[in-house]
mmCIF file of all heavy atoms in Angstrom:
data_model
loop_
_atom_site.group_PDB
_atom_site.id
_atom_site.type_symbol
_atom_site.label_atom_id
_atom_site.label_comp_id
_atom_site.label_asym_id
_atom_site.label_seq_id
_atom_site.Cartn_x
_atom_site.Cartn_y
_atom_site.Cartn_z
ATOM 1 N N ARG R 49 -6.844 -3.939 18.905
ATOM 2 C CA ARG R 49 -5.775 -4.599 18.178
ATOM 3 C C ARG R 49 -6.032 -4.532 16.672
ATOM 4 O O ARG R 49 -7.151 -4.734 16.211
ATOM 5 C CB ARG R 49 -5.664 -6.058 18.623
ATOM 6 C CG ARG R 49 -4.498 -6.791 17.967
ATOM 7 C CD ARG R 49 -4.262 -8.119 18.593
ATOM 8 N NE ARG R 49 -3.036 -8.736 18.115
ATOM 9 C CZ ARG R 49 -2.356 -9.622 18.788
ATOM 10 N NH1 ARG R 49 -2.768 -10.004 19.986
ATOM 11 N NH2 ARG R 49 -1.243 -10.146 18.301
ATOM 12 N N ILE R 50 -4.973 -4.258 15.931
ATOM 13 C CA ILE R 50 -5.089 -4.162 14.484
ATOM 14 C C ILE R 50 -4.932 -5.549 13.871
ATOM 15 O O ILE R 50 -3.959 -6.247 14.142
ATOM 16 C CB ILE R 50 -4.021 -3.214 13.906
ATOM 17 C CG1 ILE R 50 -4.209 -1.800 14.466
ATOM 18 C CG2 ILE R 50 -4.080 -3.187 12.387
ATOM 19 C CD1 ILE R 50 -3.088 -0.847 14.110
ATOM 20 N N ARG R 51 -5.888 -5.931 13.062
ATOM 21 C CA ARG R 51 -5.814 -7.166 12.291
ATOM 22 C C ARG R 51 -5.745 -6.784 10.816
ATOM 23 O O ARG R 51 -6.611 -6.077 10.314
ATOM 24 C CB ARG R 51 -7.044 -8.048 12.542
ATOM 25 C CG ARG R 51 -7.216 -8.476 13.993
ATOM 26 C CD ARG R 51 -6.178 -9.497 14.417
ATOM 27 N NE ARG R 51 -6.423 -9.997 15.770
ATOM 28 C CZ ARG R 51 -5.601 -10.827 16.407
ATOM 29 N NH1 ARG R 51 -4.491 -11.234 15.817
ATOM 30 N NH2 ARG R 51 -5.889 -11.238 17.620
ATOM 31 N N TYR R 52 -4.729 -7.276 10.134
ATOM 32 C CA TYR R 52 -4.543 -6.898 8.733
ATOM 33 C C TYR R 52 -5.231 -7.857 7.772
ATOM 34 O O TYR R 52 -5.433 -7.518 6.602
ATOM 35 C CB TYR R 52 -3.043 -6.814 8.416
ATOM 36 C CG TYR R 52 -2.381 -5.627 9.078
ATOM 37 C CD1 TYR R 52 -1.888 -5.717 10.378
ATOM 38 C CD2 TYR R 52 -2.258 -4.411 8.416
ATOM 39 C CE1 TYR R 52 -1.292 -4.633 10.989
ATOM 40 C CE2 TYR R 52 -1.664 -3.316 9.025
ATOM 41 C CZ TYR R 52 -1.179 -3.439 10.315
ATOM 42 O OH TYR R 52 -0.588 -2.357 10.923
ATOM 43 N N ASN R 53 -5.555 -9.066 8.237
ATOM 44 C CA ASN R 53 -6.267 -10.045 7.398
ATOM 45 C C ASN R 53 -5.545 -10.318 6.080
ATOM 46 O O ASN R 53 -6.171 -10.495 5.031
ATOM 47 C CB ASN R 53 -7.702 -9.560 7.119
ATOM 48 C CG ASN R 53 -8.494 -9.328 8.385
ATOM 49 O OD1 ASN R 53 -8.522 -10.174 9.262
ATOM 50 N ND2 ASN R 53 -9.123 -8.166 8.498
ATOM 51 N N ASP R 54 -4.217 -10.339 6.141
ATOM 52 C CA ASP R 54 -3.407 -10.574 4.945
ATOM 53 C C ASP R 54 -2.678 -11.907 4.985
ATOM 54 O O ASP R 54 -1.789 -12.167 4.170
ATOM 55 C CB ASP R 54 -2.397 -9.439 4.752
ATOM 56 C CG ASP R 54 -1.457 -9.271 5.953
ATOM 57 O OD1 ASP R 54 -1.600 -10.030 6.936
ATOM 58 O OD2 ASP R 54 -0.592 -8.382 5.913
ATOM 59 N N GLY R 55 -3.045 -12.764 5.941
ATOM 60 C CA GLY R 55 -2.385 -14.051 6.070
ATOM 61 C C GLY R 55 -1.119 -14.022 6.898
ATOM 62 O O GLY R 55 -0.474 -15.060 7.088
ATOM 63 N N LEU R 56 -0.756 -12.847 7.419
ATOM 64 C CA LEU R 56 0.491 -12.708 8.172
ATOM 65 C C LEU R 56 0.257 -12.307 9.630
ATOM 66 O O LEU R 56 1.206 -12.056 10.365
ATOM 67 C CB LEU R 56 1.398 -11.662 7.503
ATOM 68 C CG LEU R 56 1.815 -11.946 6.052
ATOM 69 C CD1 LEU R 56 2.624 -10.776 5.499
ATOM 70 C CD2 LEU R 56 2.591 -13.240 5.943
ATOM 71 N N ASP R 57 -0.997 -12.251 10.056
ATOM 72 C CA ASP R 57 -1.280 -11.772 11.416
ATOM 73 C C ASP R 57 -0.680 -12.661 12.501
ATOM 74 O O ASP R 57 -0.412 -12.191 13.609
ATOM 75 C CB ASP R 57 -2.793 -11.629 11.631
ATOM 76 C CG ASP R 57 -3.349 -10.357 11.019
ATOM 77 O OD1 ASP R 57 -2.589 -9.388 10.886
ATOM 78 O OD2 ASP R 57 -4.538 -10.336 10.661
ATOM 79 N N SER R 58 -0.448 -13.935 12.200
ATOM 80 C CA SER R 58 0.145 -14.805 13.215
ATOM 81 C C SER R 58 1.586 -14.422 13.519
ATOM 82 O O SER R 58 2.138 -14.816 14.548
ATOM 83 C CB SER R 58 0.099 -16.271 12.753
ATOM 84 O OG SER R 58 0.849 -16.458 11.563
ATOM 85 N N TYR R 59 2.194 -13.631 12.624
ATOM 86 C CA TYR R 59 3.562 -13.165 12.847
ATOM 87 C C TYR R 59 3.596 -11.788 13.510
ATOM 88 O O TYR R 59 4.676 -11.245 13.722
ATOM 89 C CB TYR R 59 4.321 -13.089 11.523
ATOM 90 C CG TYR R 59 4.534 -14.428 10.867
ATOM 91 C CD1 TYR R 59 3.728 -14.844 9.811
ATOM 92 C CD2 TYR R 59 5.547 -15.283 11.291
ATOM 93 C CE1 TYR R 59 3.919 -16.077 9.194
ATOM 94 C CE2 TYR R 59 5.747 -16.517 10.684
ATOM 95 C CZ TYR R 59 4.932 -16.905 9.637
ATOM 96 O OH TYR R 59 5.127 -18.119 9.031
ATOM 97 N N ARG R 60 2.443 -11.237 13.813
ATOM 98 C CA ARG R 60 2.392 -9.923 14.444
ATOM 99 C C ARG R 60 2.093 -10.110 15.933
ATOM 100 O O ARG R 60 0.954 -10.404 16.315
ATOM 101 C CB ARG R 60 1.328 -9.047 13.787
ATOM 102 C CG ARG R 60 1.660 -8.696 12.335
ATOM 103 C CD ARG R 60 0.633 -7.751 11.740
ATOM 104 N NE ARG R 60 1.015 -7.321 10.404
ATOM 105 C CZ ARG R 60 0.616 -7.889 9.272
ATOM 106 N NH1 ARG R 60 -0.233 -8.922 9.327
ATOM 107 N NH2 ARG R 60 1.041 -7.451 8.105
ATOM 108 N N LEU R 61 3.100 -9.921 16.752
ATOM 109 C CA LEU R 61 2.961 -10.093 18.192
ATOM 110 C C LEU R 61 3.045 -8.736 18.878
ATOM 111 O O LEU R 61 3.839 -7.869 18.482
ATOM 112 C CB LEU R 61 4.066 -11.020 18.733
ATOM 113 C CG LEU R 61 4.153 -12.410 18.104
ATOM 114 C CD1 LEU R 61 5.293 -13.206 18.743
ATOM 115 C CD2 LEU R 61 2.835 -13.162 18.253
ATOM 116 N N THR R 62 2.229 -8.541 19.892
ATOM 117 C CA THR R 62 2.282 -7.299 20.662
ATOM 118 C C THR R 62 3.521 -7.313 21.550
ATOM 119 O O THR R 62 4.114 -8.376 21.811
ATOM 120 C CB THR R 62 1.035 -7.149 21.536
ATOM 121 O OG1 THR R 62 1.066 -8.187 22.542
ATOM 122 C CG2 THR R 62 -0.240 -7.264 20.714
ATOM 123 N N GLU R 65 2.999 -9.820 24.275
ATOM 124 C CA GLU R 65 3.118 -11.201 23.808
ATOM 125 C C GLU R 65 4.583 -11.587 23.582
ATOM 126 O O GLU R 65 4.996 -12.723 23.860
ATOM 127 C CB GLU R 65 2.315 -11.379 22.521
ATOM 128 C CG GLU R 65 0.808 -11.375 22.749
ATOM 129 C CD GLU R 65 0.016 -11.324 21.465
ATOM 130 O OE1 GLU R 65 0.568 -10.873 20.436
ATOM 131 O OE2 GLU R 65 -1.160 -11.727 21.475
ATOM 132 N N LEU R 66 5.373 -10.641 23.069
ATOM 133 C CA LEU R 66 6.795 -10.909 22.875
ATOM 134 C C LEU R 66 7.492 -11.141 24.207
ATOM 135 O O LEU R 66 8.277 -12.083 24.362
ATOM 136 C CB LEU R 66 7.451 -9.753 22.123
ATOM 137 C CG LEU R 66 7.172 -9.707 20.618
ATOM 138 C CD1 LEU R 66 7.550 -8.360 20.038
ATOM 139 C CD2 LEU R 66 7.935 -10.817 19.905
ATOM 140 N N ARG R 69 6.762 -14.521 25.408
ATOM 141 C CA ARG R 69 7.532 -15.529 24.676
ATOM 142 C C ARG R 69 8.969 -15.589 25.203
ATOM 143 O O ARG R 69 9.540 -16.677 25.356
ATOM 144 C CB ARG R 69 7.540 -15.196 23.175
ATOM 145 C CG ARG R 69 6.223 -15.444 22.466
ATOM 146 C CD ARG R 69 6.050 -16.904 22.071
ATOM 147 N NE ARG R 69 7.029 -17.341 21.116
ATOM 148 C CZ ARG R 69 6.892 -17.232 19.787
ATOM 149 N NH1 ARG R 69 5.800 -16.692 19.269
ATOM 150 N NH2 ARG R 69 7.824 -17.698 18.978
ATOM 151 N N ILE R 132 8.761 -12.683 4.830
ATOM 152 C CA ILE R 132 8.367 -13.448 6.014
ATOM 153 C C ILE R 132 8.455 -14.946 5.744
ATOM 154 O O ILE R 132 8.999 -15.714 6.552
ATOM 155 C CB ILE R 132 6.936 -13.066 6.452
ATOM 156 C CG1 ILE R 132 6.897 -11.609 6.923
ATOM 157 C CG2 ILE R 132 6.443 -13.993 7.562
ATOM 158 C CD1 ILE R 132 7.829 -11.291 8.074
ATOM 159 N N HIS R 133 7.948 -15.377 4.609
ATOM 160 C CA HIS R 133 8.007 -16.806 4.288
ATOM 161 C C HIS R 133 9.447 -17.259 4.076
ATOM 162 O O HIS R 133 9.822 -18.385 4.447
ATOM 163 C CB HIS R 133 7.159 -17.095 3.045
ATOM 164 C CG HIS R 133 5.700 -16.834 3.265
ATOM 165 N ND1 HIS R 133 4.872 -16.301 2.301
ATOM 166 C CD2 HIS R 133 4.911 -17.018 4.368
ATOM 167 C CE1 HIS R 133 3.646 -16.182 2.786
ATOM 168 N NE2 HIS R 133 3.644 -16.608 4.030
ATOM 169 N N GLN R 136 11.051 -17.648 7.484
ATOM 170 C CA GLN R 136 10.565 -18.859 8.133
ATOM 171 C C GLN R 136 11.282 -20.095 7.595
ATOM 172 O O GLN R 136 11.676 -20.994 8.345
ATOM 173 C CB GLN R 136 9.052 -19.000 7.927
ATOM 174 C CG GLN R 136 8.413 -20.131 8.708
ATOM 175 C CD GLN R 136 8.556 -19.960 10.206
ATOM 176 O OE1 GLN R 136 8.338 -18.875 10.740
ATOM 177 N NE2 GLN R 136 8.959 -21.022 10.896
ATOM 178 N N VAL R 149 12.790 -16.317 17.665
ATOM 179 C CA VAL R 149 11.473 -15.677 17.687
ATOM 180 C C VAL R 149 11.429 -14.693 16.522
ATOM 181 O O VAL R 149 12.197 -13.740 16.478
ATOM 182 C CB VAL R 149 11.223 -14.949 19.016
ATOM 183 C CG1 VAL R 149 9.898 -14.173 18.951
ATOM 184 C CG2 VAL R 149 11.206 -15.931 20.178
ATOM 185 N N MET R 150 10.562 -14.960 15.577
ATOM 186 C CA MET R 150 10.434 -14.089 14.413
ATOM 187 C C MET R 150 9.069 -13.414 14.452
ATOM 188 O O MET R 150 8.033 -14.074 14.483
ATOM 189 C CB MET R 150 10.605 -14.894 13.129
ATOM 190 C CG MET R 150 10.857 -14.014 11.902
ATOM 191 S SD MET R 150 9.390 -13.769 10.910
ATOM 192 C CE MET R 150 9.232 -15.367 10.122
ATOM 193 N N ALA R 151 9.064 -12.090 14.491
ATOM 194 C CA ALA R 151 7.810 -11.338 14.579
ATOM 195 C C ALA R 151 7.943 -10.033 13.809
ATOM 196 O O ALA R 151 8.971 -9.356 13.888
ATOM 197 C CB ALA R 151 7.454 -11.060 16.032
ATOM 198 N N ILE R 152 6.895 -9.693 13.068
ATOM 199 C CA ILE R 152 6.891 -8.468 12.270
ATOM 200 C C ILE R 152 6.928 -7.247 13.187
ATOM 201 O O ILE R 152 6.155 -7.140 14.143
ATOM 202 C CB ILE R 152 5.637 -8.413 11.381
ATOM 203 C CG1 ILE R 152 5.683 -9.536 10.337
ATOM 204 C CG2 ILE R 152 5.501 -7.062 10.695
ATOM 205 C CD1 ILE R 152 4.399 -9.691 9.543
#
Side-chain angles (χ1 to χ4, degrees):
R49 184 170 189 155
I50 298 172
R51 299 289 185 185
Y52 289 87
N53 302 311
D54 58 359
L56 300 176
D57 281 334
S58 62
Y59 295 101
R60 294 184 175 94
L61 303 180
T62 67
E65 288 171 338
L66 284 165
R69 287 278 296 272
I132 294 302
H133 295 143
Q136 187 62 45
V149 174
M150 195 260 286
I152 294 172

